[in-house]
Amino acid sequence: MRLENWIARGAAVLAALVFVAGPLFVADPGRAQMPAPESEPVADADFVVVDGDTLWLVEVVDVLGTKVTAALPGVVRSVAMVSGDELQQAPGRSAAEVLQTVPGVVAGQRQQFGVQSDLSIRGSSFEQVQVLLDGFDLADPQTGHHLMDLPVGRQDIRRLEVLPGHGSTLYGSGAFGGTVNVVTRRPALPDTAGHPLWTGGEAALYGGQNGTWGGWGSAQAALGRRTGVRLSGEGFRTDGYLVPAGGGGYEQGLNDADTWTGTARLTHRFDQGEAEVFSGYAHRNYGAQGFYAPYDSYEMTRTFFTAARYNRNLGDRLTVEPRAFFRRHTDQFILIRNNPDAYTNDHVTRKAGGELRALVGLDDRHALALSVEGVYEDIDSRGLRGGTWGEALGNHLRRRLSLAAELDGKFFAADRVRWQLGSRLDRRSGFAGRMSGSGALSWTLHEKWTARASAGSVYRVPTFTELFYSSPTDLGDSRLDAERGWTWDAGVEHLSGPWQARLTYFERYENGLIEWARPAGAEGDPAQPWRAMNLGKGSVRGVETGLGWRHGQGHALAASYTVMDKDTTLPAGMEGKYALVTPQRQLVLQGTLVLQPGLSLTAVGRYLEHSDGPEDFCHVFVLDNKLQWRGRGGWFVSLAGTNLLDRRYQEVPGVPMPGTLYTTTVGWGF
């Protein structure tokens, strides 16, 4: 029998051990009960749980859901989180795969390892999600397809935060369905007493089926008593995998990929604050057969991101933080891989911004956050058609000025009620000014029960693709207006010892939805291409549930179920390209079994149902697992398997995902 068959059987048996251990319950990612793993530097242990509330320690990076983390550490809205042991043990090989275990989050991947992914939260489109990196805006003005082009590797991620629901008041355009904050690892610093200094790093290599291999390395050091530095690099390549052939059987999918990332971070601590500079770069080349059209295509993207901030306490009740960032993204798409002269797009987008924040502690129960922000973004887009270069999307720029305020408070005995009110004004060139507002309330009904509710308005300005794209089959419209709407949610959370439970109901109402539409029955008619239009109206209603258990030794059982009903209306006689293909049901089962100190097995089962599309897309069940060992001396070994049942499935209509894939990792922390 072939070795890989023995591996497949062994991994399946190990996965079964977890699933028969008992009913699987989901731990609400927004609650943490275990401290950061011992292998993590002290800088990564940034929260504790007190009476069911996650209380955040003072740090520079944002925490989703509020801008007032230092003065009032209790988070009013429910924030889902994957961090610490849960992040290390997850079988997912990219941020998108890990996020699929969060209730209400759906990742539409076109390849694993973070090659390209769309995100949906609470039934949103891939354009209606906001992604942040350490609190900085990563949105690409060209298209939401590049939302997860992170300038960091999987091992650079320290925590993934998800704020479901409205986020426009906090983060501006795009946060219709929710917001994701990717929190990266920081260098270790000496403690306040100045000792000990910490220097070390990690190196690993991995390999597996389909000609897959890669590795990562990182090093960090405390330079003196106040300065820390961290450097990292990560890369992988794969020959690709077989996909179902039209006449039966399988054929080469032309989905090879080659990616790598590199990051650098410098942190310096002052007596009354902290300064930080971060830079990251990502290089991605990958086969894109069927991504956007039925051709053997190829795509190459490059992402550079750098940011700086300085956090300063100006007295007992005032903190200021100036922030600045720059992002450059290039996207070269070749429609026919072996004939680039026929049709090639070459896009370059740039985005730069600065913000000044002020946090004022009004008294012991109230805090006010104020910010003023300016952002510039542009695109230089050319196209090669029949061997001749010309404009594709063209050259365009736009500017934005934003003013925002948030007031947080707490009252009643033992501060059982916390509230939050926010408002934001955005002025953007080419669009009317937009005012957003939000409110949130949390009430500790009992030491083990917390009720939460929130409501807010949302909006999204169109991307450059929606405004200016032109091809024989798709036409943008420069006259498009912003999408707009409002949403609310309410729920209850329970935390009792190792048990956690959550139930949330939500609704969202949308107007002026941008959809690529055409007259019904116009398929194959060149005179009726898909056109971007503000013509959709929609509503989403749904319920998110989660139940989980975690043992003190690290055993965990978890389950979550999300059901959504999305109603999107187009004018009579029109059909849409994207709006009607939405997630309806999501079930996630996961469990971790600590076999002995340092040895753990994690299994994750995901079921997803969409409203329309091919059968392999409408109903998806995927079983993944990861066997991991960490020993003395810093050595670690893991075996990760995805799609253990070798199911045929798609996360984006028309783009098959790989069958069973095993990778083995060997590494050393020093």
Side-chain angles (χ1 to χ4, degrees):
M1 182 178 291
R2 296 175 60 185
L3 177 60
E4 64 182 44
N5 291 335
W6 281 107
I7 294 175
R9 290 190 175 188
V13 170
L14 289 173
L17 290 176
V18 174
F19 278 97
V20 301
L24 297 182
F25 307 110
V26 101
D28 178 6
R31 300 298 188 201
Q33 299 188 68
M34 300 295 294
E38 294 181 359
S39 59
E40 295 290 334
V42 174
D44 279 0
D46 19 53
F47 59 89
V48 295
V49 173
V50 178
D51 293 334
D53 270 332
T54 303
L55 303 185
W56 296 86
L57 308 181
V58 177
E59 64 168 358
V60 178
V61 298
D62 283 352
V63 176
L64 281 185
T66 180
K67 293 182 181 292
V68 202
T69 55
L72 291 177
V75 178
V76 179
R77 294 175 62 184
S78 180
V79 179
M81 181 172 59
V82 185
S83 64
D85 287 340
E86 187 179 2
L87 185 59
Q88 286 190 3
Q89 295 164 348
R93 300 183 178 95
S94 67
E97 289 182 77
V98 175
L99 285 169
Q100 292 186 107
T101 64
V102 177
V105 179
V106 174
Q109 297 185 106
R110 293 174 171 84
Q111 170 66 286
Q112 292 182 312
F113 296 93
V115 169
Q116 193 188 84
S117 306
D118 297 337
L119 288 183
S120 171
I121 302 179
R122 289 185 173 177
S124 71
S125 73
F126 66 90
E127 300 281 13
Q128 295 175 329
V129 175
Q130 179 71 282
V131 173
L132 312 174
L133 183 72
D134 292 330
F136 290 96
D137 182 9
L138 275 189
D140 189 276
Q142 178 196 338
T143 173
H145 288 310
H146 299 317
L147 203 60
M148 292 298 289
D149 273 14
L150 303 177
V152 298
R154 168 73 167 82
Q155 304 305 317
D156 292 315
I157 299 172
R158 163 175 149 213
R159 187 171 70 239
L160 293 170
E161 302 170 349
V162 179
L163 176 69
H166 56 90
S168 292
T169 302
L170 289 167
Y171 310 113
S173 170
F176 249 69
T179 306
V180 174
N181 188 25
V182 180
V183 182
T184 58
R185 296 187 182 277
R186 308 175 68 203
L189 290 172
D191 61 23
T192 54
H195 58 8
L197 300 184
W198 190 92
T199 301
E202 190 174 78
L205 294 173
Y206 63 83
Q209 297 164 289
N210 303 332
T212 299
W213 62 272
W216 71 84
S218 65
Q220 60 180 339
L223 309 177
R225 297 170 60 90
R226 294 176 177 268
T227 304
V229 62
R230 184 179 189 274
L231 303 174
S232 75
E234 185 172 339
F236 107 99
R237 76 167 313 281
T238 179
D239 294 336
Y241 50 91
L242 299 177
V243 300
Y250 290 85
E251 63 184 3
Q252 182 60 40
L254 301 175
N255 40 38
D256 52 309
D258 180 8
T259 78
W260 60 269
T261 62
T263 71
R265 184 189 297 271
L266 180 69
T267 302
H268 182 78
R269 179 186 294 151
F270 298 91
D271 290 337
Q272 299 297 324
E274 190 173 271
E276 190 168 59
V277 178
F278 170 83
S279 294
Y281 180 79
H283 162 116
R284 294 178 172 89
N285 293 347
Y286 48 92
Q289 185 179 44
F291 277 22
Y292 313 108
Y295 295 99
D296 171 20
S297 304
Y298 197 71
E299 193 158 8
M300 296 171 284
T301 66
R302 308 288 184 266
T303 307
F304 172 74
F305 178 84
T306 187
R309 62 176 130 216
Y310 173 54
N311 184 274
R312 176 77 175 180
N313 295 326
L314 302 179
D316 294 338
R317 294 188 177 275
L318 176 62
T319 300
V320 296
E321 184 178 307
R323 304 152 51 94
F325 75 94
F326 173 77
R327 178 183 184 272
R328 185 179 190 271
H329 186 271
T330 66
D331 171 32
Q332 187 174 72
F333 177 75
I334 302 171
L335 183 65
I336 303 173
R337 187 170 184 164
N338 295 325
N339 185 16
D341 287 349
Y343 190 99
T344 294
N345 283 334
D346 192 357
H347 313 290
V348 180
T349 58
R350 287 164 296 209
K351 189 170 186 174
E355 181 182 12
L356 177 62
R357 294 184 178 183
L359 178 62
V360 184
L362 302 177
D363 53 38
D364 292 339
R365 293 177 174 271
H366 300 85
L368 176 66
L370 302 169
S371 77
V372 55
E373 180 183 16
V375 174
Y376 167 94
E377 56 189 20
D378 68 15
I379 187 169
D380 178 4
S381 173
R382 302 182 304 150
L384 183 61
R385 310 288 189 265
T388 302
W389 283 101
E391 281 195 351
L393 300 181
N395 293 273
H396 307 278
L397 65 86
R398 54 194 185 191
R399 302 178 179 89
R400 170 173 62 84
L401 177 65
S402 301
L403 303 174
E406 179 189 320
L407 180 63
D408 286 29
K410 51 187 179 180
F411 56 90
F412 282 176
D415 300 328
R416 291 168 53 195
V417 176
R418 301 173 186 267
W419 55 269
Q420 178 187 97
L421 294 174
S423 181
R424 179 187 180 102
L425 173 64
D426 287 319
R427 293 298 303 269
R428 191 184 305 260
S429 53
F431 296 89
R434 180 71 57 183
M435 180 70 76
S436 303
S438 65
L441 181 73
S442 69
W443 188 347
T444 303
L445 305 172
H446 183 270
E447 62 179 9
K448 298 179 181 180
W449 292 89
T450 300
R452 302 180 189 273
S454 72
S457 56
V458 291
Y459 81 101
R460 182 185 74 85
V461 298
T463 63
F464 286 132
T465 295
E466 292 167 323
L467 291 168
F468 305 114
Y469 189 78
S470 177
S471 77
T473 59
D474 299 270
L475 292 176
D477 188 343
S478 61
R479 300 166 298 177
L480 290 175
D481 198 1
E483 298 179 335
R484 59 197 184 278
W486 70 280
T487 180
W488 70 273
D489 57 44
V492 62
E493 300 177 12
H494 176 69
L495 178 62
S496 178
W499 292 95
Q500 305 170 35
R502 181 165 65 92
L503 174 67
T504 302
Y505 177 81
F506 60 89
E507 292 188 358
R508 184 172 68 250
Y509 297 91
E510 308 167 331
N511 288 288
L513 289 178
I514 298 172
E515 173 61 305
W516 296 84
R518 66 186 180 188
E523 182 177 358
D525 183 355
Q528 298 291 344
W530 297 103
R531 298 176 183 270
M533 305 180 186
N534 283 110
L535 49 71
K537 292 184 178 181
S539 63
V540 181
R541 297 173 177 84
V543 176
E544 295 171 349
T545 63
L547 184 64
W549 169 84
R550 178 177 290 274
H551 190 272
Q553 295 182 355
H555 308 302
L557 298 172
S560 68
Y561 181 66
T562 303
V563 58
M564 291 170 284
D565 179 22
K566 183 168 184 177
D567 181 15
T568 302
T569 303
L570 299 178
M574 300 294 290
E575 63 178 350
K577 192 174 185 180
Y578 296 114
L580 302 182
V581 181
T582 59
Q584 288 185 315
R585 292 175 177 83
Q586 177 197 44
L587 173 66
V588 179
L589 307 174
Q590 54 186 335
T592 295
L593 182 64
V594 178
L595 303 173
Q596 64 181 48
L599 179 63
S600 65
L601 172 68
T602 297
V604 178
R606 297 181 289 110
Y607 171 76
L608 183 63
E609 180 181 329
H610 285 92
S611 60
D612 200 358
E615 178 62 25
D616 292 347
F617 173 75
C618 282
H619 303 278
V620 172
F621 178 75
V622 180
L623 177 63
D624 306 328
N625 76 353
K626 184 176 182 179
L627 180 65
Q628 178 176 262
W629 172 79
R630 287 185 173 268
R632 295 181 179 180
W635 288 98
F636 57 92
V637 180
S638 67
L639 172 65
T642 50
N643 193 11
L644 299 182
L645 303 180
D646 201 24
R647 301 289 295 270
R648 290 175 53 169
Y649 75 103
Q650 303 172 16
E651 295 184 358
V652 173
V655 184
M657 290 295 288
T660 302
L661 174 62
Y662 289 98
T663 53
T664 300
T665 302
V666 178
W668 178 50
F670 54 91

